[in-house]
């Protein structure tokens, strides 16, 4: 049986990612593995509906209507709304780049980011996905993820910088320490000149997100940053726990991890 119209349309939307935010019709057809004529017809329908927008240079980008729908997802509306005041308090206390992230498969999905005052190379954006093993929030989420997720992630330890941990045994030891100490750190593992520290956000015994900070150096301020992160994470967790709508949305989502 051939692919349905719906699956082909979804393949076209799935052709976009963090490295391919703008695509020509030819590139869309190639990345979605479909004939150019079919892509042309479906892209036209997606464009008319608002799922895609066309740039002045003729290339296509994700449209505003998809963005509007994304805001309705519990991971966006519930989590971001609950976290917002605590993220701003944390930012005001540290003046550092603040991240809120959840797990999506074996990647980190960034749902919120506040840019810090200090110039630090940060590659994450809201909506972007990064490898869990190379980020502070990712290590937190991986430490509390189901065993099959950890096994899959350990088989995909790509090297991003010279400091990225790619040895499974070493990463497993780091994840054990995350669970024992309650926080994770990285040192220039995702981008040179950037270090991070992150803690889990819990609702009851379930880790539903990770909260992190990116700074140039952790050596002198680690205890202060961990304390500030934990205060904010506890506040977010309490707010989420009190939200019936969030709990119902979480029950069917992919972001929850083991406690």
């Amino acid at each position: 049986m051939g692919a349905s119209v719906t699956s082909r349309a979804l393949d076209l939307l799935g052709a976009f990612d963090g490295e391919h935010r703008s695509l020509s019709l030819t590139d869309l057809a190639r990345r979605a593995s479909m004939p150019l004529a079919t892509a042309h017809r479906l892209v036209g329908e997606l464009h008319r509906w608002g799922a895609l927008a066309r740039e002045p240079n003729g290339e296509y980008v994700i449209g505003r209507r998809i963005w509007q729908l994304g805001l309705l997802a519990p991971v966006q509306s519930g989590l971001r709304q609950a976290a917002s005041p605590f993220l701003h308090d944390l930012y005001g206390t540290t003046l550092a780049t603040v991240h809120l992230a959840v797990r999506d498969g074996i990647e980190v999905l960034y749902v919120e980011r506040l840019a810090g005052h200090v110039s630090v190379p940060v590659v994450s954006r809201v909506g972007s996905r990064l490898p869990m093993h190379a980020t502070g929030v990712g290590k937190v989420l991986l430490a509390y993820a189901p065993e099959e997720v950890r096994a899959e992630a350990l088989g995909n330890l790509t090297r991003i910088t010279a400091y990225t941990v790619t040895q499974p045994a070493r990463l497993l030891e780091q994840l054990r320490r995350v669970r024992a100490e309650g926080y994770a750190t990285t040192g220039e593992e995702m981008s040179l000149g950037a270090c991070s520290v992150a803690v889990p956000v819990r609702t009851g015994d379930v880790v539903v997100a990770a909260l992190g900070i990116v700074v140039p150096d952790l050596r002198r301020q680690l205890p202060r940053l961990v304390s500030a992160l934990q205060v904010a994470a506890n506040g977010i967790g309490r707010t989420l726990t009190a939200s019936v709508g969030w709990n119902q949305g979480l029950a069917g989502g992919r972001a929850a991890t083991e406690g």
Side-chain angles (χ1 to χ4, degrees):
M1 182 181 294
S4 68
V5 173
T6 301
S7 66
R8 290 187 174 187
L10 291 174
D11 285 340
L12 285 168
L13 293 175
F16 295 92
D17 58 27
E19 302 299 321
H20 302 86
R21 295 172 177 267
S22 177
L23 293 168
S24 67
L25 179 62
T26 301
D27 287 337
L28 274 168
R30 177 180 56 81
R31 287 177 59 80
S33 301
M34 69 178 62
L36 184 60
T38 302
H40 182 268
R41 176 173 58 83
L42 292 176
V43 164
E45 293 181 11
L46 290 169
H47 179 258
R48 286 189 293 274
W49 187 79
L52 294 177
R54 194 173 186 185
E55 299 284 82
N57 64 1
E59 294 192 341
Y60 290 90
V61 296
I62 293 295
R64 183 179 295 274
R65 198 159 182 185
I66 292 292
W67 174 77
Q68 291 171 333
L69 286 173
L71 293 177
L72 301 177
V75 69
Q76 290 283 359
S77 59
L79 180 56
R80 293 180 72 183
Q81 182 177 356
S84 180
F86 301 100
L87 296 182
H88 283 87
D89 286 348
L90 181 61
Y91 172 78
T93 300
T94 64
L95 298 180
T97 296
V98 177
H99 285 146
L100 181 68
V102 298
R103 180 176 64 82
D104 189 3
I106 61 169
E107 295 180 306
V108 174
L109 171 61
Y110 289 83
V111 298
E112 190 58 283
R113 174 192 172 202
L114 300 179
H117 283 201
V118 180
S119 178
V120 179
V122 179
V123 298
S124 63
R125 305 173 186 170
V126 174
S128 67
R129 291 170 171 80
L130 292 176
M132 284 197 287
H133 69 282
T135 61
V137 287
K139 288 184 181 182
V140 166
L141 295 169
L142 189 57
Y144 294 96
E147 183 58 41
E148 61 270 21
V149 173
R150 281 196 292 273
E152 185 177 358
L154 288 169
N156 293 273
L157 300 182
T158 54
R159 183 175 298 281
I160 301 165
T161 76
Y163 302 101
T164 307
V165 176
T166 57
Q167 302 86 3
R170 183 180 171 196
L171 181 60
L172 281 172
E173 174 58 22
Q174 289 186 348
L175 299 182
R176 185 197 65 77
R177 291 179 59 185
V178 170
R179 295 180 73 107
E181 299 175 354
Y183 67 90
T185 62
T186 64
E188 300 186 291
E189 296 173 41
M190 191 69 230
S191 57
L192 297 178
C195 301
S196 67
V197 56
V199 303
V201 176
R202 302 174 185 269
T203 58
D205 293 330
V206 179
V207 174
V208 297
L211 181 63
I213 287 177
V214 181
V215 293
D217 195 320
L218 285 172
R219 286 173 293 185
R220 295 185 178 180
Q221 51 185 337
L222 181 60
R224 180 179 70 86
L225 293 179
V226 169
S227 177
L229 281 165
Q230 289 174 337
V231 169
N234 289 339
I236 297 170
R238 286 194 301 270
T239 303
L240 290 175
T241 301
S243 171
V244 176
W246 162 261
N247 291 333
Q248 290 174 342
L250 176 62
R254 293 182 294 167
T257 54
E258 293 178 341

